Amino acid sequence: MAKGKILITGGTGYIGSHTVVELFNAGYEPIIIDNLSNSNISVLDGIKAITGHSVIYENIDCKDYNSLERFLEKHPEIVAIAHFAASKSVGESVENPLLYYRNNIVSLINLLQLMPKFGIKNIVFSSSCTVYGQPDVLPVTEKSPIKPATSPYGSTKQMCETILYDFTHANKDINVVLLRYFNPIGAHPSGEIGELPNGIPNNLLPYITQTAAGIRKELSVFGNDYDTPDGSCIRDYINVVDLAKAHVVALNRLIDGKNEKNIEVFNLGTGSGVSVLEIINAFEKATGVKVPYKIAPRRPGDIEKVWADTSLANKELGWSSKETLEDTLRSAWNWQKKLEEKNSVTNG
Ligand code: UD1
């Protein structure tokens, strides 16, 4: 008997799919809606290969209020939502801001509007360290100031947080955990699921693995003249399975009524900052594969350095990141190699 049904919006996406696996492992029954705008239906096979479960899935866009309502009518046992469905490319959001405001904000509003109607009291929301902008003091704590967003994507995350604060203020029986992710990387150790960007990757790790695999000629390191020890930007790279496990803990906390306030916020990172050049070196050391790279101009909108103070998540959630950077980079490479194998089989 499953512990409860959890609605996973964006469950075929990168973080969503890893969370689905961890929820099955924890005895929950996750069910997925996704419009496949930036993911692939084959992810469901990966989830089945790892967990043995055929997950319930429907192609639904969270912007479509009526479809969402019909889906919830069919699943009255849902006890919580983990809301991953969102657009997440910083650059694309600058080019097409309305797409981001519509996708990210309308989806959240629709879900919140339907929660009371279906008696769903708990929601975990995917926020981002982007809400801190370039912090004055590092590491950042949950109390660090929210700085003006540097992209429409960042604005949507800030606005969604505000919407959730206002909504929980007005609806005291709705409980929210806001999780501010730092930079999720890596893949499931089985190599069955991982990050699957459409087209040319924007994010560092898929670009590195595709370059190592020979799909891309070389990686561009965006800037080596930052005020950091080696001049390249610093981020806090968190293993995606560790990140997925934090969602299970957050959902347990809400479902068991252990939350102290009806809206809580936690940073999810490792607590350590790593530069782009250090990531390249660590990847080469962990995998034995060279990553050709060149130094390129700074990328507009990039933040110089940011890493997390994770003591609140350690203390309140009893969660901390466990995987080493080397193992995480190896898992990303393992996933890339498996993808190549699958593609070569499919392409004959
Ligand atoms: C940003 C957001 C993050 C968001 C993510 C979604 C910030 C601080 N972070 O992550 O909240 O969830 O987008 O996509 O706003 N890099 C290269 N070459 C490349 C690609 C990246 O040098 O080809 C560098 C970037 O300059 C950066 C680091 O690698 O320093 C990480 O970049 P990326 O993976 O794109 O993530 P962020 O921009 O940090």
Side-chain angles (χ1 to χ4, degrees):
M1 182 65 187
K3 268 157 81 177
K5 250 187 201 177
I6 315 281
L7 173 60
I8 312 292
T9 74
T12 58
Y14 176 41
I15 306 169
S17 58
H18 287 81
T19 302
V20 166
V21 167
E22 295 310 318
L23 284 168
F24 274 126
N25 288 345
Y28 285 105
E29 186 191 353
I31 60 176
I32 297 177
I33 57 175
D34 203 310
N35 67 356
L36 302 179
S37 60
N38 192 26
S39 61
N40 194 293
I41 193 76
S42 64
V43 168
L44 302 182
D45 299 332
I47 292 170
K48 174 133 198 228
I50 299 168
T51 66
H53 291 284
S54 298
V55 57
I56 293 175
Y57 160 79
E58 269 193 48
N59 187 324
I60 288 175
D61 187 327
C62 293
K63 294 195 298 298
D64 180 350
Y65 183 90
N66 293 335
S67 300
L68 210 47
E69 187 174 38
R70 276 197 299 277
F71 182 83
L72 292 174
E73 270 161 12
K74 280 193 275 178
H75 298 280
E77 323 85 347
I78 292 170
V79 292
I81 300 172
H83 181 41
F84 295 96
S87 298
K88 61 148 208 168
S89 161
V90 173
E92 187 187 43
S93 80
V94 176
E95 303 286 314
N96 196 348
L98 295 187
L99 178 80
Y100 275 67
Y101 289 114
R102 188 175 289 122
N103 281 354
N104 295 2
I105 292 173
V106 173
S107 298
L108 177 66
I109 291 174
N110 281 347
L111 282 170
L112 293 181
Q113 207 169 330
L114 286 162
M115 283 173 72
K117 181 168 178 195
F118 290 94
I120 304 170
K121 295 191 161 46
N122 306 308
I123 181 164
V124 171
F125 177 74
S126 304
S127 191
S128 165
C129 70
T130 196
V131 301
Y132 297 117
Q134 176 58 65
D136 297 324
V137 181
L138 289 165
V140 277
T141 73
E142 290 79 357
K143 292 201 165 63
S144 296
I146 301 296
K147 291 279 192 72
T150 54
S151 70
Y153 161 77
S155 292
T156 67
K157 290 296 171 190
Q158 292 183 345
M159 286 176 189
C160 285
E161 288 201 1
T162 303
I163 290 168
L164 284 160
Y165 276 101
D166 291 344
F167 189 70
T168 48
H169 183 72
N171 296 272
K172 299 287 185 224
D173 58 344
I174 298 286
N175 297 289
V176 177
V177 171
L178 294 174
L179 297 176
R180 290 182 183 151
Y181 311 150
F182 282 67
N183 285 58
I185 59 166
H188 193 269
S190 64
E192 295 288 348
I193 54 172
E195 194 168 5
L196 198 58
N198 283 342
I200 301 172
N202 291 303
N203 294 113
L204 180 62
L205 244 292
Y207 212 105
I208 286 182
T209 57
Q210 292 193 9
T211 306
I215 301 168
R216 313 271 158 217
K217 192 168 135 269
E218 60 187 356
L219 170 77
S220 293
V221 173
F222 296 139
N224 68 345
D225 56 352
Y226 284 100
D227 182 17
T228 60
D230 65 21
S232 64
C233 290
I234 295 180
R235 297 286 184 273
D236 184 336
Y237 294 93
I238 168 83
N239 178 283
V240 70
V241 176
D242 279 339
L243 190 67
K245 287 179 178 163
H247 292 76
V248 177
V249 178
L251 286 161
N252 285 340
R253 182 176 172 91
L254 291 178
I255 291 164
D256 297 343
K258 297 272 169 60
N259 48 318
E260 279 167 13
K261 289 179 264 161
N262 76 330
I263 180 156
E264 298 179 317
V265 52
F266 298 101
N267 283 343
L268 296 181
T270 64
S272 300
V274 181
S275 76
V276 176
L277 292 170
E278 285 171 336
I279 286 280
I280 297 170
N281 284 335
F283 181 87
E284 291 183 343
K285 201 165 143 235
T287 63
V289 183
K290 276 269 165 220
V291 181
Y293 71 87
K294 63 168 188 209
I295 304 297
R298 292 181 177 197
R299 182 171 69 175
D302 258 344
I303 281 156
E304 182 168 272
K305 50 190 168 208
V306 65
W307 62 93
D309 180 324
T310 59
S311 41
L312 192 67
N314 303 157
K315 180 168 161 275
E316 290 295 319
L317 299 178
W319 173 91
S320 58
S321 80
K322 294 276 188 283
E323 296 298 331
T324 64
L325 180 62
E326 276 68 29
D327 284 344
T328 303
L329 294 171
R330 256 193 296 275
S331 72
W333 180 231
N334 182 36
W335 159 244
Q336 179 70 46
K337 282 189 299 184
K338 274 222 173 188
L339 266 183
E340 300 304 299
E341 281 165 27
K342 277 185 197 154
N343 288 344
S344 67
V345 172
T346 329
N347 299 335

